[in-house]
């Protein structure tokens, strides 16, 4: 059974149709990276998975529960979904430890000692155990995003959603966040990642999905999609976004149509 199953997903904001019929499944332990131009519907797709954005039509099932069912207890489902946003959304008046324990205590009803222990374990996972007593303003952007990841992991999610988690970071801080995400992938975490980091998608993803204009244009293993994309729209996008110094056109095979 898939961890995520999306069928016939449409989303409109007034007359603007952002998602125009998405079918997508993510298997347990799979890392799926979603790429595409701005405005293609990537973030809306991600937000629909845990109903932060309500679909217009279509069905979404997470871990066997149809979240689009009006009778679904969406709060219960969300407890098994970790989400990391572009912005870190940390509480500035709380320490790092307190940021990682607050949802555990309020949502999962864990005791103070247990929540603190789990916070420490997850701060160690992201390499920030020594910053537990610091406040967000004392951290770099990369460190704040790693705290946000630790906060999500502390809830014991079955699934992690990442919405362009490095887009708000200075270039030199991107690597430390991607390193944490690589380690989660290596541990077998199911991950749906919207990203503009093409090298990360090529290295870590089991499957890459290219979206444009509210549709999935094509998807496949990174080695296939990057080296021999089937669709001209995919080739055009990759020509524009890939830096030759990082991944050459010859290496990925987009210098000419296959």
């Amino acid at each position: 059974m898939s961890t995520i199953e999306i069928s016939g997903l449409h989303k409109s904001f007034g007359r603007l149709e952002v998602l125009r019929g998405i079918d997508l499944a993510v298997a347990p332990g799979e890392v799926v990276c979603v790429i595409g131009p701005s405005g293609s519907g990537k973030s809306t797709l991600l937000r629909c998975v845990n109903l932060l954005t309500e679909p217009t039509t279509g069905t979404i099932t997470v871990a066997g529960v149809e979240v689009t069912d009006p009778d679904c207890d969406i709060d219960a489902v969300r407890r098994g979904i970790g989400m990391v946003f572009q912005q870190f959304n940390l509480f500035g008046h709380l320490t790092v430890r307190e940021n990682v324990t607050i949802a555990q205590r309020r949502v999962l009803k864990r005791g103070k000692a247990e929540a603190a222990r789990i916070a420490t374990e997850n701060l160690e996972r992201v390499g920030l155990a020594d910053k537990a007593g610091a406040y967000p303003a004392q951290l770099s952007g990369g460190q704040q995003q790693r705290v946000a990841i630790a906060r999500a992991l502390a809830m014991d999610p079955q699934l992690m959603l990442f919405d362009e988690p490095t887009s708000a970071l200075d270039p030199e801080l991107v690597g430390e966040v991607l390193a944490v995400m690589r380690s989660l992938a290596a541990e077998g975490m199911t991950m749906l990642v919207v990203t503009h980091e093409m090298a990360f998608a090529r290295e870590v993803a089991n499957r890459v999905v290219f979206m444009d204009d509210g549709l999935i244009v094509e998807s496949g293993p990174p080695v296939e999609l990057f080296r021999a994309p089937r669709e001209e729209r995919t080739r055009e996008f990759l020509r524009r976004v890939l830096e030759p110094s990082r991944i050459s056109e010859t290496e990925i095979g987009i210098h000419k149509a296959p």
Side-chain angles (χ1 to χ4, degrees):
M1 181 177 67
S2 297
T3 299
I4 304 174
E5 293 186 15
I6 300 170
S7 178
L9 180 62
H10 290 254
K11 177 60 186 177
S12 296
F13 296 95
R15 295 184 177 181
L16 178 63
E17 193 174 17
V18 178
L19 299 177
R20 302 193 296 126
I22 300 294
D23 297 309
L24 178 66
V26 180
E30 188 176 23
V31 178
V32 175
C33 285
V34 183
I35 64 172
S38 297
S40 60
K42 306 184 303 296
S43 292
T44 300
L45 169 63
L46 206 67
R47 292 174 65 86
C48 282
V49 171
N50 61 0
L51 255 58
L52 291 177
T53 296
E54 188 171 348
T56 302
T57 60
T59 61
I60 301 171
T61 300
V62 177
V65 178
E66 184 187 334
V67 300
T68 44
D69 184 333
D71 295 327
C72 172
D73 183 350
I74 188 59
D75 290 333
V77 176
R78 284 176 179 152
R79 292 183 196 121
I81 303 173
M83 186 158 186
V84 178
F85 300 88
Q86 298 177 31
Q87 302 299 325
F88 321 126
N89 298 325
L90 300 178
F91 294 107
H93 66 291
L94 300 180
T95 65
V96 165
R97 181 184 293 107
E98 290 166 341
N99 267 279
V100 181
T101 58
I102 186 169
Q104 294 186 66
R105 299 194 66 192
R106 292 187 178 181
V107 178
L108 300 183
K109 307 302 182 184
R110 286 174 177 159
K112 183 176 180 180
E114 182 185 14
R117 175 182 60 79
I118 292 171
T120 298
E121 290 174 356
N122 284 288
L123 287 170
E124 287 175 351
R125 290 175 76 181
V126 301
L128 289 175
D130 61 329
K131 299 293 186 181
Y135 288 87
Q138 298 173 303
L139 306 179
S140 70
Q143 290 172 328
Q144 290 185 60
Q145 191 62 294
R146 286 152 62 195
V147 173
I149 294 173
R151 177 181 58 188
L153 292 173
M155 303 297 285
D156 299 326
Q158 297 174 280
L159 164 68
M160 287 288 288
L161 307 177
F162 292 88
D163 186 8
E164 303 227 27
T166 61
S167 64
L169 302 179
D170 292 333
E172 65 268 24
L173 302 178
V174 169
E176 62 189 62
V177 174
L178 295 182
V180 172
M181 294 172 66
R182 286 188 184 94
S183 68
L184 293 179
E187 292 171 12
M189 176 65 73
T190 306
M191 298 163 59
L192 183 59
V193 183
V194 171
T195 185
H196 59 272
E197 298 289 340
M198 298 297 129
F200 172 82
R202 190 188 72 155
E203 175 191 349
V204 178
N206 301 109
R207 184 157 41 105
V208 177
V209 172
F210 172 63
M211 285 185 63
D212 188 36
D213 195 24
L215 295 168
I216 293 177
V217 177
E218 69 175 290
S219 67
V223 67
E224 294 179 8
L225 189 135
F226 284 116
R227 290 186 178 177
R230 300 183 303 274
E231 302 295 330
E232 176 55 33
R233 181 66 187 93
T234 313
R235 290 193 289 271
E236 177 189 355
F237 172 78
L238 292 175
R239 286 191 194 100
R240 286 191 292 106
V241 301
L242 289 175
E243 299 174 12
S245 62
R246 293 173 65 187
I247 307 176
S248 71
E249 287 191 352
T250 300
E251 181 182 1
I252 63 167
I254 63 168
H255 54 292
K256 61 181 181 180

